[in-house]
Amino acid sequence: MSAEEDVEFTVPGATLRGKLFRPEGSAGTSLPVVVLQGGLGGPAESVFPMAAGFTDAGLACLIYDHRCTGYSDGEPRQLFDPWQQCRDLRHVITHLTLRDDIDAERIGLWGISIGGANSLFTAAMDRRVAAVVSLIPPVSGWSARKLQPADTMAELDALIPDDRQAQLRGEPAATIRLHGKPEPGKPVMFSDEEGLEFVENMIHGLPSFSNEITVSTLDYLFEMEVRAYAERITAPLLMILASKDTVAPAEEAREMFERIPEPKELIEYEGQHYEILSNHFPEIVSRSAGWLGRTLSP
């Protein structure tokens, strides 16, 4: 069981909204906390059900919407900028350190996919992070271009500067679909069957979910190279990969993991990116929450 609290964080240019979960009966106690982040397009609401796995391990956990998404402020809507999300996360960490019910020396990060990449980068840059769990992280933005056929990628590349000009003229930000089946003239970010099944079960239908991303999101995703920061990560790390991952190429994550200093642990599940989430998600949550509980223990 856990107790939940609606929270707001004022960061430069936006107010971020989410929930802080604590183990039942822990009032008056200063607890370790873990910040949970989902994958691209996944709102905080989709992550709330995971909270119990962490509170059962004696941890508080924070889940919030990134700026421009869900219930948080920011324009244009559905813009996902990983570098900006990491800057915001560091401001959120500062807010957490000022709470009497949070132990500022025991702050952990946990993230799936792009949330896992954000967690790695933030841990590399912020020494207040005491532990990090990264699940199936895309550590190279340039590799994300391989998710699209060459002709579709050329079409998307042409849209990016056009959208920049349009926004400068005051027009709304252009968008593409996040999940779906490709259609002529209608590009989509993710279209694999396993991924569609997973997100439809977990995300679609939530009030705060919107099945689109801005075209400018692609620009920001492509420029993010987390693997360049491997040697700067000094917090204990648990990395969990899908052995056959092509959405977030496993070989690139393995190479980055090799360059990260100890202490660290690597776990691999057989299968593709979304496949291991569909088949092993409760176990992954339990296993990683237990690791964080032990790592962040007094």
Side-chain angles (χ1 to χ4, degrees):
M1 294 291 292
S2 60
E4 63 183 67
E5 171 193 348
D6 291 330
V7 292
E8 290 188 352
F9 302 103
T10 300
V11 300
T15 296
L16 310 180
R17 299 180 178 89
K19 290 183 181 292
L20 179 69
F21 298 83
R22 295 172 55 92
E24 197 73 48
S26 63
T29 306
S30 181
L31 293 173
V33 66
V34 181
V35 184
L36 309 186
Q37 297 181 78
L40 183 68
E45 280 184 307
S46 67
V47 186
F48 290 163
M50 305 175 202
F54 295 86
T55 57
D56 287 349
L59 303 163
C61 66
L62 172 67
I63 307 165
Y64 66 91
D65 284 310
H66 294 298
R67 73 166 67 205
C68 303
T69 73
Y71 297 115
S72 290
D73 294 344
E75 296 288 342
R77 303 306 294 172
Q78 297 305 111
L79 166 64
F80 293 84
D81 179 351
W83 290 139
Q84 183 63 61
Q85 291 172 0
C86 292
R87 294 186 191 103
D88 288 343
L89 175 54
R90 298 184 69 185
H91 291 304
V92 168
I93 289 172
T94 300
H95 279 280
L96 291 173
T97 64
L98 296 174
R99 291 181 62 114
D100 293 336
D101 58 353
I102 295 299
D103 186 340
E105 302 298 318
R106 296 189 288 159
I107 297 175
L109 305 179
W110 182 99
I112 302 173
S113 196
I114 193 65
N118 286 355
S119 297
L120 289 171
F121 174 74
T122 305
M125 299 303 296
D126 201 315
R127 291 293 176 263
R128 296 172 298 179
V129 176
V132 58
V133 175
S134 182
L135 280 61
I136 50 176
V139 298
S140 170
W142 193 248
S143 290
R145 300 173 61 86
K146 299 175 185 176
L147 291 172
Q148 304 292 345
D151 56 343
T152 304
M153 194 63 251
E155 179 184 353
L156 292 172
D157 276 337
L159 288 177
I160 291 171
D162 288 348
D163 175 65
R164 284 181 175 270
Q165 289 184 353
Q167 289 195 61
L168 191 63
R169 294 192 295 267
E171 298 173 21
T175 61
I176 64 170
R177 290 175 299 154
L178 181 59
H179 308 116
K181 296 182 179 179
E183 301 174 27
K186 293 183 177 181
V188 61
M189 186 68 184
F190 299 115
S191 59
D192 58 292
E193 291 296 330
E194 290 164 343
L196 291 178
E197 180 181 356
F198 179 79
V199 298
E200 284 175 3
N201 291 338
M202 187 172 179
I203 298 175
H204 284 233
L206 294 173
S208 59
F209 173 72
S210 181
N211 190 26
E212 61 181 7
I213 57 173
T214 64
V215 167
S216 50
T217 292
L218 299 173
D219 214 4
Y220 296 134
L221 289 175
F222 296 156
E223 72 184 11
M224 191 181 191
E225 291 293 325
V226 178
R227 58 183 173 179
Y229 296 83
E231 288 81 5
R232 301 189 193 184
I233 299 173
T234 57
L237 165 69
L238 173 62
M239 185 179 286
I240 299 177
L241 303 180
S243 64
K244 299 177 182 178
D245 201 333
T246 55
V247 174
E251 64 273 15
E252 294 176 350
R254 292 188 195 105
E255 186 277 331
M256 179 179 177
F257 178 84
E258 287 302 315
R259 293 189 289 112
I260 295 173
E262 297 282 357
K264 59 186 179 181
E265 181 179 350
L266 176 64
I267 297 172
E268 293 199 20
Y269 286 84
E270 186 73 15
Q272 259 287 4
H273 190 81
Y274 291 104
E275 184 181 4
I276 72 162
L277 299 181
S278 296
N279 295 340
H280 305 288
F281 200 44
E283 178 189 341
I284 290 172
V285 170
S286 176
R287 197 169 184 176
S288 56
W291 181 89
L292 282 164
R294 294 188 297 274
T295 304
L296 295 174
S297 62

